[in-house]
Amino acid sequence: MAAQQKIWIDGRGQEVPSSYVSKYDKARDRAVRRVVAGARRLRGQIEAFMADAVATMDGLAGIKEDLGKRGNFSARSFDALLQVSIRQQWHIRLDDRVAKARELMLGYANRELERAGEGAFLLKQMIEAAFKVDRLGFLPRSEVAKLLSYKVGDAGWNEGADILRQAQTTERGKQYLTVETRRSLNNDFAPIRLDVADCWPDVKGEKAE
């Protein structure tokens, strides 16, 4: 049997004799430490799994000659019931010229609105969406690419589009691993979710409201 802890350290860093620590506080400390220790073990297992999975898929990708350059790769088992995919996310980061590009492109949309062009309102919304940065300061790649694909006979728009192309830098983002299975070829793939929240235990006797 482990020796009883005689001195406890509280949240202020002060020593507290065991006799002054309540039964609940001791139980609370044990419960929290048990869960944290389990989470750390699980984290280590996940890291080891991810390292092995990425190395395995990278090795397979090295065999495939016509693999794309964007880092996306998917492979299925021979019976086509299991699938593993690696998806590479990319971001567009812009320098301070982006404000000028937005001004010029919105200028074209506003001029078209003054002419009562119905499509100009939607175009203005698309421009606003394309220049809306996320919490990390990146622009939505699909929206920016859509704007730059338009052929517009307006000098201001084209100047803004050129500035936007010059101002953007594509950066590699996170990679995502997806593991999916299906019961038969007639079923859709369903992911094996490696999400702690998705593994919440069923509570027996609990009724849905």
Side-chain angles (χ1 to χ4, degrees), residues 10-203:
D10 66 14
R12 294 171 295 181
Q14 297 179 350
E15 295 185 351
V16 179
S18 178
S19 59
Y20 285 89
V21 181
S22 71
K23 182 179 180 180
Y24 171 75
D25 284 341
K26 292 177 180 178
R28 180 185 62 180
D29 186 82
R30 287 194 301 271
V32 170
R33 292 183 185 280
R34 176 186 176 88
V35 174
V36 170
R40 284 173 172 163
R41 288 195 300 271
L42 179 59
R43 172 72 185 196
Q45 293 170 355
I46 292 175
E47 289 178 350
F49 162 73
M50 287 297 296
D52 179 72
V54 171
T56 299
M57 295 301 289
D58 283 348
L60 180 62
I63 301 174
K64 190 173 177 59
E65 297 178 355
D66 58 345
L67 183 66
K69 300 295 185 181
R70 303 300 293 179
N72 296 322
F73 183 59
S74 180
R76 292 183 182 180
S77 59
F78 194 69
D79 60 9
L81 299 180
L82 310 176
Q83 179 170 272
V84 178
S85 306
I86 289 182
R87 180 171 59 87
Q88 175 66 61
Q89 193 175 60
W90 296 88
H91 300 294
I92 293 178
R93 185 180 293 279
L94 299 171
D95 59 30
D96 54 7
R97 291 175 291 182
V98 66
K100 183 62 176 179
R102 179 179 180 275
E103 177 187 340
L104 290 167
M105 298 174 89
L106 278 177
Y108 167 73
N110 288 329
R111 289 193 298 275
E112 290 299 306
L113 275 175
E114 292 176 358
R115 301 191 186 108
E118 293 182 0
F121 178 73
L122 293 176
L123 177 60
K124 184 175 181 179
Q125 287 186 316
M126 292 174 61
I127 295 171
E128 294 285 9
F131 283 93
K132 186 177 181 179
V133 299
D134 62 17
R135 61 185 180 83
L136 299 177
F138 296 111
L139 291 187
R141 294 184 65 247
S142 59
E143 298 295 334
V144 172
K146 189 183 300 181
L147 281 187
L148 294 178
S149 69
Y150 292 153
K151 304 297 181 184
V152 178
D154 180 83
W157 172 276
N158 292 325
E159 182 183 355
D162 287 340
I163 292 175
L164 182 57
R165 291 188 185 93
Q166 297 168 17
Q168 67 181 19
T169 302
T170 302
E171 295 184 357
R172 183 186 295 270
K174 291 184 177 179
Q175 282 186 303
Y176 295 90
L177 174 74
T178 303
V179 182
E180 300 170 294
T181 66
R182 58 182 176 181
R183 289 193 300 271
S184 73
L185 299 180
N186 294 324
N187 294 111
D188 294 328
F189 278 105
I192 298 176
R193 295 185 59 183
L194 303 177
D195 181 355
V196 173
D198 193 52
C199 300
W200 198 267
D202 293 330
V203 179

